[in-house]
């Protein structure tokens, strides 16, 4: 209760339009409550269908204290389980990815089938009911090639998000793509600072020369107010929707996710602005100038889907002031490295941008750790997306803690 009161006190000290109080970025107790009220309670993006195309293919992910394994079963379905043996709790799958006929605990060789049922446990005597000792399931959903899990005993409804996301993403065929490259970096900053940095491009011109070659700095692209009043955005939406690609901005009523398609200053995120991959990502989306399909879904995903490839970013906190950011580059399943694309050309813009963002977040965290830090005001022109993220965070935590009086405000 002491931790909850500390969190509530900090939230009640938050001024609308200002950064959060220091405790919310540094305090270990508040970090634990962030995990419990957000990361352990809601749907989290963890990976892609195409990473586990074959029966028995799996990947693993660590969410706070929970190791999870995501595997494709013999029936072709994707399932998730707690990656913890029902014998003495050992982690079963330690590799980031692999393929197996059975999931076998390395400690004592207890073996589970791909549906999580215990199939072998040596010398356990009687009575012993293997039927009650299957792997504990984790709620798992897949939509348009994106895999989601939820650790809650009673997961929130997923259907509304599925219905909204699917029309935007299905034309791009992400479920049939191929993982070309993956990179994970650890940013020495609180997960909220990582997200705040993502939700604005106020910092882009001074820090991201490679990205700014193709990504427009206009606040309408990164914000949540829309863009219908800007001719270049409204015209882009009209052209794309005439081509059968849903594009207009949608922000969910609770502020958790946003979908939109935005124009770029070129065809792809490359130093030249030209496509990085000769084969289009999907045969159904081959025209040039489609821009980028943007989705953020708090607290784990932002992404870019272009005509030639897609890039996804997964955000997972690993401590009060440490966050793992995993970036995945997806290409057409038949695209051949060295023939259809150069890995350097495909990845260099975002590898550079990610490292620049890492430095930004780490310097931000060092400053926030200072006892002299006090919340500063956001730019109403450039940082509307950051304000929206902070408001979502505050409202989500208050709701989880049972606070019915709404968002705290100090005039």
């Amino acid at each position: 209760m002491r931790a909850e009161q500390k969190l509530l006190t900090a939230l009640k000290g938050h001024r609308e339009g200002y950064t959060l109080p220091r405790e919310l970025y540094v305090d270990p107790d508040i970090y634990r409550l962030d995990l419990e009220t957000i990361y352990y309670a809601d749907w989290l993006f963890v990976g892609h269908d195409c990473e586990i195309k074959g029966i028995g293919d799996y990947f693993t992910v660590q969410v706070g204290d929970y190791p999870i394994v995501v595997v494709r079963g013999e029936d072709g379905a994707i399932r998730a389980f707690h990656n913890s043996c029902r014998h003495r709790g050992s982690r079963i799958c330690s590799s980031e990815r692999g393929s197996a006929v059975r999931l076998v605990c390395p400690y004592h060789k207890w073996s589970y089938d791909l549906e999580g049922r215990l199939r072998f446990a040596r010398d356990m005597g009687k009575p012993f009911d293997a039927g009650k000792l299957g792997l504990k399931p984790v709620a798992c959903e897949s939509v348009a090639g994106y895999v989601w899990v939820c650790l809650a005993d009673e997961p929130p409804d997923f259907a509304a998000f599925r219905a909204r996301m699917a029309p935007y993403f299905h034309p791009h065929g992400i479920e049939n793509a191929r993982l070309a490259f993956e990179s994970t970096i650890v940013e020495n900053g609180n997960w909220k600072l990582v997200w705040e940095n993502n939700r604005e491009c106020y910092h882009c011109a001074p820090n991201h020369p490679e990205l700014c070659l193709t990504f427009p700095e206009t606040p309408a692209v990164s914000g949540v107010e829309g863009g219908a009043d800007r001719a270049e955005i409204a015209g882009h939406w009209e052209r794309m929707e005439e081509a059968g690609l849903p594009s207009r901005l949608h922000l969910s009523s609770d502020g958790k996710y946003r979908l939109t398609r935005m124009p770029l200053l070129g065809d792809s995120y490359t130093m030249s602005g030209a496509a990085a991959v000769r084969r289009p990502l999907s045969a159904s989306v081959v025209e040039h100038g489609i821009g980028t399909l943007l989705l953020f879904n708090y607290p784990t995903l932002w992404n870019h889907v272009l005509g030639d490839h897609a890039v996804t970013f997964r955000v997972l906190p690993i401590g009060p002031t440490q966050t793992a950011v995993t970036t995945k580059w997806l290409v057409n399943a038949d695209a051949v490295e060295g023939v259809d694309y150069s890995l350097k050309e495909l990845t260099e813009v975002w590898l550079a941008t990610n490292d620049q963002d890492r430095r930004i977040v780490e310097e931000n965290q060092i400053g926030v750790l200072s006892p002299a830090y006090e919340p500063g005001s956001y730019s109403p022109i450039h940082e509307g997306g950051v304000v929206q993220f902070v408001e979502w965070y505050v409202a989500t935590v208050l709701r989880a803690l049972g606070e019915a009086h709404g968002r705290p405000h100090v005039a």
Side-chain angles (χ1 to χ4, degrees), residues 30 35 59 70 75 77 84 91 105 114 125 129 146 151-152 180 193 216 228 238-239 255 286 324 328 339 400 411:
I30 289 177
L35 290 179
F59 63 79
V70 180
D75 58 356
S84 177
R91 187 171 61 166
C105 177
L114 302 178
D129 190 351
Y146 288 68
L151 289 158
L193 292 179
E238 185 174 352
R239 289 192 300 275
V286 296
K328 300 171 187 281
V339 177

Side-chain angles (χ1 to χ4, degrees), residues 20-39:
L20 292 166
R22 179 177 180 272
E23 297 91 332
L24 295 170
Y25 298 118
V26 305
D27 188 276
D29 292 333
I30 289 177
Y31 164 72
R32 298 297 307 178
L33 284 174
D34 279 356
L35 290 179
E36 293 171 11
T37 58
I38 295 177
Y39 276 87

Side-chain angles (χ1 to χ4, degrees), residues 367-381:
V368 169
L369 281 166
S370 169
Y373 162 82
E374 61 180 61
S377 61
Y378 293 116
S379 163
I381 297 172

Side-chain angles (χ1 to χ4, degrees), residues 41-262:
D42 215 331
W43 289 98
L44 312 175
F45 164 74
V46 289
H48 293 284
D49 299 43
C50 66
E51 297 179 66
I52 46 175
K53 287 186 175 181
I55 292 172
D57 290 351
Y58 68 85
F59 63 79
T60 59
V61 63
Q62 184 79 27
V63 179
D65 295 329
Y66 292 92
I68 297 168
V69 58
V70 180
V71 61
R72 191 177 290 274
E74 293 186 7
D75 58 356
I78 297 174
R79 297 178 177 84
F81 300 99
H82 289 281
N83 190 8
S84 177
C85 184
R86 296 299 305 279
H87 177 210
R88 287 169 56 185
S90 177
R91 187 171 61 166
I92 298 169
C93 300
S94 58
S95 299
E96 291 184 4
R97 63 184 73 251
S99 186
V101 176
R102 293 281 186 268
L103 303 179
V104 181
C105 177
Y107 199 176
H108 302 97
K109 300 302 181 184
W110 280 35
S111 302
Y112 304 84
D113 66 21
L114 302 178
E115 285 69 48
R117 293 174 293 232
L118 178 62
R119 290 303 193 188
F120 175 77
R122 181 171 56 89
D123 295 339
M124 291 305 297
K126 295 182 179 180
F128 179 75
D129 190 351
K132 294 181 179 179
L133 292 172
L135 294 177
K136 291 186 176 181
V138 175
C140 183
E141 295 281 355
S142 171
V143 54
Y146 288 68
V147 180
W148 307 76
V149 300
C150 182
L151 289 158
D153 292 335
E154 297 183 9
D157 177 63
F158 190 80
F161 173 66
R162 175 192 296 280
R164 182 65 67 172
M165 177 184 174
Y168 283 81
F169 278 78
H170 272 319
H172 295 278
I174 300 295
E175 62 273 22
N176 299 316
R178 179 174 64 81
L179 179 66
F181 191 72
E182 178 176 336
S183 168
T184 295
I185 61 173
V186 174
E187 300 187 10
N188 292 315
N190 184 271
W191 70 276
K192 294 186 288 294
L193 292 179
V194 173
W195 266 109
E196 289 180 34
N197 180 62
N198 169 262
R199 295 306 307 120
E200 49 92 355
C201 212
Y202 192 23
H203 72 280
C204 289
N207 293 278
H208 296 320
E210 297 86 357
L211 182 64
C212 285
L213 292 171
T214 52
F215 188 79
E217 192 186 12
T218 172
V221 174
S222 56
V224 293
E225 289 75 25
D229 58 338
R230 300 184 66 92
E232 72 275 19
I233 294 176
H236 184 73
W237 287 348
E238 185 174 352
R239 289 192 300 275
M240 293 303 100
E241 293 190 345
E242 286 178 355
L245 299 175
S247 299
R248 296 179 191 278
L249 184 144
H250 172 80
L251 179 67
S252 63
S253 59
D254 60 359
K256 186 177 186 295
Y257 65 89
R258 180 200 70 165
L259 285 151
T260 189
R261 199 179 299 273
M262 288 291 176

